[in-house]
Amino acid sequence: MARRAGSAVLSAAALVAGGAASAEGQSADLFDPTVVHEVRLYVNARDLHDLRARYQENVYYPADLHWGDVTLRNVGIRSRGRGSRTPVKLGLHLEFGYYATGQRLRGLAALDLDNLWQDPSMLREYAAMALFARMGQRAPRESFARLFINGAYQGVYAIVEPIDAAFLTRTAGGADGYLFEYHWLDPYELTGVDSDLDAVEARFERRTQRSVPRASAYAPVVDMLRAINAGDEERWRAGVDPYVDLPQFLTHIAVEQFLSEHDGLTGYDGVNNFYLYRPAASTRHQFLPWDRDHAFHDARSSIFLRAERNVLLRRALAVDDLRAYYLAALARCADVASREGWLEGVIAAGAALIADAASEDPLKPYDAAAHAAAVQHLTDFARSRPAWVREAVAGVRAAPAGRRH
Amino acid sequence: MPGVVWAVLLLAASAAAQDGADGARHPSVRLGDVRLELLARVQLDARLKADAVERDEETPGLDIGRKRVGVRGRLARIAAFEVETELEARDPWRDVYIEYRQFRSLRVQAGHFKVPFSLDYTTSSAKLDFIDRSRAANTLAAGRDRGIMAHGRLLDDRLEYEAGAFAGRDTKAVRLAARPFGARRSAGRALTAAIAYTHGALDERLVDSVWVKGSRRRAGVELQWQPGPVALTGEYMRAADERLGQGIGGENLAPLVRTGWYGAGTWAVRPALGSRRPRLELAARVDGLRVGRGGAKAGTSFSPRAAVVAGRADQALTLGVNWYLGSRVKLQANGVRDRHAGRARWTPLARLQVVL
């Protein structure tokens, strides 16, 4: 076909044999944040119609992927997202080995194409993940792309690195740890302990180490929830410490609170949008951020927003040194974000980068004025939030014990 | 269980006790040249869990495999008809046809009935030697359709033909069966060989998500040999489905080829077909089905829109016992050995069949 004639086609066999090495010759990096990538998908017209009709289901369809000079045949694609699921501007999950075992793109088994449906600025998640990473947290890489399906421009998308075995290899040095994706089922605040493993598994879906017996894979998760909810305040910290990396958790929360995140671990409807990670030889869990479309809500929001709901956070903040750690992490967020205008610069650079692609986006559910206003909101947030947080932290530190929030 | 099922079971059990002869006659009435027969059949199936390997496709337990009622009639030797329906089924109509049958060499049948392809599939489920048909027949046979068919026997029954046209998928079908040594039963004369071919249009998604569009060509070969208490049967079938415009970019893809086969044998331990004693029959079958081409090598694409659909093969061994209690009641027990999720398993099945 003419439209593919100029592409260097990597055969499935070569990809299997070479794995990540198959893409070594490419010059561009998939997560290069300085360019808007061009991703082209070709899908049979019937499958595309079916995909749009069944966008609420996780049904896979085969597609050919073109990115730069790379072509992957028969990649599995499906609709993705929760609130952002739409048949108009499809959010897509790409699984390269779904139909061809071992097929990879630059060593990645999968990618998400976030349709930025709920974020008129198109920058919230990109900037939020950048801050998580800058704060030393394990966070998915992101970049921007123009997506074309069967030659038709679909608009600006965020290329999101999935949290999977490849992610662990990159961020933790190996994929032998345990990874659990949290699924929102109901407003849940890490309360209660369900001894029914099915119920635990429904919330925390295992993403790695699937061959390990279920009971042993989930036992530390159950123990963690049990420790979080244990009644003895005196020994609470000692009980939780073996199961939760408390400094990491508090740093994660500090970033969320700095970003005024409304759908994370202190979400408006219970905990949401995170993964649990446990290194192979440990029982201690870490929290990984996911889906930050609801960050940057209000530059003047409390640094203890809904902190009383999440049991783990509420009880951690009742321990003096953990509370001090949290406040220090918040202050560090403010410093990192404001130093040399870093966060504002990230937002400005992102906005400039996607300006043309965004204005030409034919399927976005907001107009150019709304996009500009949203970008301005983020810019204002980046300018004012650090000072507000510093002031709030100082106020809490100065307040007498017992009246600190 | 619905009352009608109990009624059929009780009536048939009663009839079995009185009758006991094979080749049962159905309850009938005669009005001049018109003879009407009442047809009813219930099959009660027990499907047990295979050795610790759960079957994804079937739920273990007891269920009613078939609940069919119908009426069959004849007008002298000139015409016949049959109407048979499955109770409580979404698509209830089975055989619904009329037949002009004045001449043995040329009979014409019109209505809804089985397309003449595959001995295993066209054999009534009441007369099958195994509880389930072979994978090949279940997957590759043409099913029932609305159509018209000419059939008959020639050359002192040495040649039998069926040729029909069917509306549902614009299918044309022909089947030729030869008994080179004649139709009467003797060791040499009990051999039947047949070939069958169908050609039809299609535009559908198969179970494994492969879209096929264009034409479907089936070809089959059958062999039967029943010299005495031992009977041997075998079939080979091939179906090639075009995939016009089914590539990711709308290009044509190589046809999807599926092949299936089986070899089966039965041994009537108490062979007296006409006797009133219960008859015991042992049965064994090996069958296989292959979809696509080649093996599942590293790098093979299993995409439903891959240029060539990667090959997948499936085989099974079935061992069975059939116990005929008179002409109306049959007890069947089968053990099926196949592979599931890479592991071999045995699945026990049982069926009680009652025919009115």
Side-chain angles (χ1 to χ4, degrees):
Chain A
M1 296 170 66
R3 65 172 181 248
R4 298 177 194 166
S7 299
V9 177
L10 296 179
S11 71
L15 285 159
V16 170
S22 66
E24 278 179 1
Q26 298 163 58
S27 58
D29 182 87
L30 193 54
F31 296 105
D32 181 351
T34 64
V35 297
V36 178
H37 300 274
E38 187 172 297
V39 175
R40 290 179 177 270
L41 290 173
Y42 293 93
V43 189
N44 182 280
R46 188 180 228 163
D47 287 348
L48 184 57
H49 179 270
D50 205 28
L51 172 60
R52 291 192 194 283
R54 302 172 67 183
Y55 73 99
Q56 292 286 14
E57 302 172 45
N58 289 341
V59 181
Y60 280 89
Y61 299 87
D64 286 351
L65 167 76
H66 296 240
W67 168 66
D69 59 355
V70 176
T71 295
L72 297 186
R73 300 282 189 219
N74 286 298
V75 167
I77 67 169
R78 68 161 172 82
S79 177
R80 70 168 290 277
R82 259 182 68 207
S84 62
R85 279 204 188 214
T86 167
V88 179
K89 187 179 178 185
L90 290 163
L92 294 170
H93 176 72
L94 280 53
E95 199 147 327
F96 306 119
Y98 189 80
Y99 294 113
T101 308
Q103 184 165 241
R104 297 282 186 272
L105 175 63
R106 289 188 69 79
L108 298 174
L111 268 187
D112 282 337
L113 293 175
D114 184 338
N115 59 5
L116 305 171
W117 185 256
Q118 296 177 302
D119 172 19
S121 77
M122 301 180 159
L123 297 167
R124 288 172 195 259
E125 174 154 318
Y126 168 75
M129 291 303 183
L131 181 60
F132 270 104
R134 201 163 175 87
M135 285 291 290
Q137 300 290 293
R138 295 188 173 102
R141 292 174 292 174
E142 303 209 1
S143 59
F144 291 105
R146 289 172 180 260
L147 176 67
F148 295 80
I149 299 180
N150 293 346
Y153 182 44
Q154 305 294 305
V156 184
Y157 279 69
I159 302 177
V160 183
E161 178 185 25
I163 296 182
D164 56 11
F167 174 87
L168 292 185
T169 301
R170 179 179 72 82
T171 61
D176 55 348
Y178 292 82
L179 190 63
F180 303 90
E181 180 182 359
Y182 177 77
H183 292 296
W184 189 96
L185 303 176
D186 50 40
Y188 178 63
E189 301 286 2
L190 303 178
T191 46
V193 183
D194 204 322
S195 55
D196 176 10
L197 269 191
D198 288 342
V200 176
E201 194 170 20
R203 284 193 203 282
F204 298 94
E205 184 189 0
R206 192 165 23 155
R207 290 299 192 186
T208 58
Q209 302 293 354
R210 289 191 174 101
S211 59
V212 172
R214 190 170 74 143
S216 56
Y218 278 96
V221 177
V222 173
D223 291 343
M224 176 190 76
L225 294 171
R226 197 166 282 145
I228 288 171
N229 290 277
D232 188 340
E233 297 295 338
E234 292 292 316
R235 287 182 291 184
W236 182 84
R237 195 236 176 106
V240 168
D241 200 49
Y243 299 108
V244 179
D245 183 341
L246 286 166
Q248 188 277 331
F249 168 72
L250 290 169
T251 305
H252 181 113
I253 292 286
V255 177
E256 281 197 0
Q257 293 281 359
F258 177 84
L259 291 171
S260 185
E261 168 62 60
H262 268 229
D263 201 14
L265 284 169
T266 54
Y268 65 91
D269 205 17
V271 298
N272 198 18
N273 290 317
F274 69 95
Y275 283 70
L276 268 185
Y277 166 61
R278 186 175 78 235
S282 172
T283 57
R284 190 174 282 171
H285 296 86
Q286 298 184 359
F287 292 78
L288 311 179
W290 185 248
D291 195 351
R292 299 289 124 170
D293 284 348
H294 292 274
F296 299 94
H297 186 71
D298 180 1
R300 299 169 68 86
S301 71
S302 165
I303 57 172
F304 294 107
L305 186 68
R306 290 185 288 270
E308 75 288 354
R309 292 194 197 169
N310 181 315
V311 179
L312 176 58
L313 179 60
R314 172 165 49 83
R315 300 189 75 173
L317 292 180
V319 179
D320 286 345
D321 68 310
L322 294 178
R323 181 188 184 81
Y325 189 94
Y326 171 67
L327 293 173
L330 268 172
R332 194 152 54 91
C333 273
D335 290 344
V336 165
S338 62
R339 192 176 301 137
E340 297 175 355
W342 175 80
L343 184 57
E344 186 182 346
V346 167
I347 292 164
L353 184 69
I354 64 170
D356 290 345
S359 71
E360 294 162 10
D361 187 331
L363 303 177
K364 62 181 185 292
Y366 31 81
D367 59 18
H371 171 65
V375 172
Q376 187 58 51
H377 170 78
L378 261 61
T379 304
D380 294 343
F381 185 103
R383 285 175 183 158
S384 62
R385 183 65 172 166
W388 169 270
V389 168
R390 277 193 205 98
E391 193 176 325
V393 168
V396 173
R397 283 172 172 162
R403 295 185 57 195
R404 286 178 175 172
H405 70 273
Chain B
M1 189 181 294
V4 65
V5 177
W6 281 115
V8 171
L9 283 169
L10 289 170
L11 191 57
S14 162
Q18 296 163 17
D19 189 320
D22 293 310
R25 295 168 68 106
H26 297 281
S28 64
V29 293
R30 184 181 290 278
L31 303 166
D33 285 341
V34 177
R35 175 188 167 84
L36 295 176
E37 289 181 342
L38 177 65
L39 311 173
R41 176 174 15 128
V42 172
Q43 290 176 338
L44 199 62
D45 292 344
R47 202 171 286 277
L48 307 177
K49 184 182 284 190
D51 56 344
V53 180
E54 290 189 14
R55 295 173 70 99
D56 293 337
E57 68 274 26
E58 287 166 298
T59 307
L62 196 67
D63 68 273
I64 299 170
R66 288 179 177 83
K67 291 174 289 182
R68 291 188 187 174
V69 294
V71 61
R72 185 164 62 193
R74 278 196 184 185
L75 174 61
R77 293 178 176 273
I78 296 173
F81 74 90
E82 182 170 340
V83 177
E84 188 181 47
T85 183
E86 185 85 46
L87 299 177
E88 298 175 16
R90 186 178 297 176
D91 179 19
W93 298 111
R94 294 300 182 260
D95 289 335
V96 182
Y97 63 84
I98 56 173
E99 183 184 44
Y100 170 71
R101 50 182 295 123
Q102 188 168 8
F103 306 105
R104 192 171 174 78
S105 59
L106 175 61
R107 291 173 175 174
V108 179
Q109 188 172 322
H112 183 263
F113 50 92
K114 288 177 177 174
V115 177
F117 183 87
S118 171
L119 174 67
D120 195 19
Y121 183 76
T122 53
T123 299
S124 165
S125 62
K127 297 177 180 175
L128 290 173
D129 295 324
F130 303 91
I131 293 172
D132 290 331
R133 290 190 169 91
S134 65
R135 284 158 165 69
N138 278 330
T139 308
L140 304 180
R144 286 182 170 86
D145 202 351
R146 288 173 291 116
I148 184 166
M149 180 174 77
H151 64 106
R153 296 181 178 213
L154 305 170
L155 306 175
D156 194 22
D157 285 355
R158 282 184 167 80
L159 186 66
E160 181 183 347
Y161 70 90
E162 296 162 286
F166 298 84
R169 289 178 178 159
D170 193 22
T171 301
K172 314 293 186 296
V174 61
R175 178 175 176 272
L176 293 173
R179 297 179 185 85
F181 306 108
R184 283 172 294 177
R185 285 175 182 263
S186 70
R189 293 180 173 181
L191 179 68
T192 304
I195 56 173
Y197 177 80
T198 76
H199 180 277
L202 55 85
D203 183 1
E204 64 187 64
R205 185 180 222 160
L206 301 180
V207 186
D208 42 7
S209 296
V210 177
W211 278 100
V212 289
K213 186 176 184 180
S215 68
R216 172 175 289 161
R217 291 179 172 82
R218 295 184 185 87
V221 180
E222 307 163 12
L223 273 177
Q224 263 187 298
W225 188 47
Q226 190 171 359
V230 172
L232 300 174
T233 312
E235 269 194 84
Y236 172 82
M237 304 169 223
R238 181 180 192 273
D241 297 348
E242 287 185 326
R243 295 194 293 158
L244 303 180
Q246 296 309 302
I248 282 174
E251 71 275 21
N252 297 339
L253 299 175
L256 172 68
V257 176
R258 294 175 292 166
T259 55
W261 57 271
Y262 70 86
T266 59
W267 177 35
V269 181
R270 304 181 74 168
L273 264 175
S275 83
R276 289 179 176 273
R277 293 176 298 170
R279 185 168 69 113
L280 199 65
E281 189 177 59
L282 304 180
R285 179 180 68 197
V286 183
D287 72 307
L289 181 71
R290 180 171 194 82
V291 178
R293 296 173 176 172
K297 293 170 290 194
T300 302
S301 176
F302 291 94
S303 164
R305 298 197 184 279
V308 176
V309 175
R312 295 185 293 278
D314 187 18
Q315 283 190 20
L317 167 68
T318 306
L319 301 177
V321 178
N322 301 321
W323 188 21
Y324 297 85
L325 296 161
S327 63
R328 302 185 189 279
V329 180
K330 179 165 74 169
L331 274 170
Q332 289 182 291
N334 283 181
V336 182
R337 186 182 190 278
D338 58 7
R339 296 190 74 81
H340 181 73
R343 290 180 55 192
R345 63 177 181 181
W346 278 99
T347 304
L349 309 170
R351 167 173 289 171
L352 168 65
Q353 173 180 291
V354 180
V355 177
L356 184 62

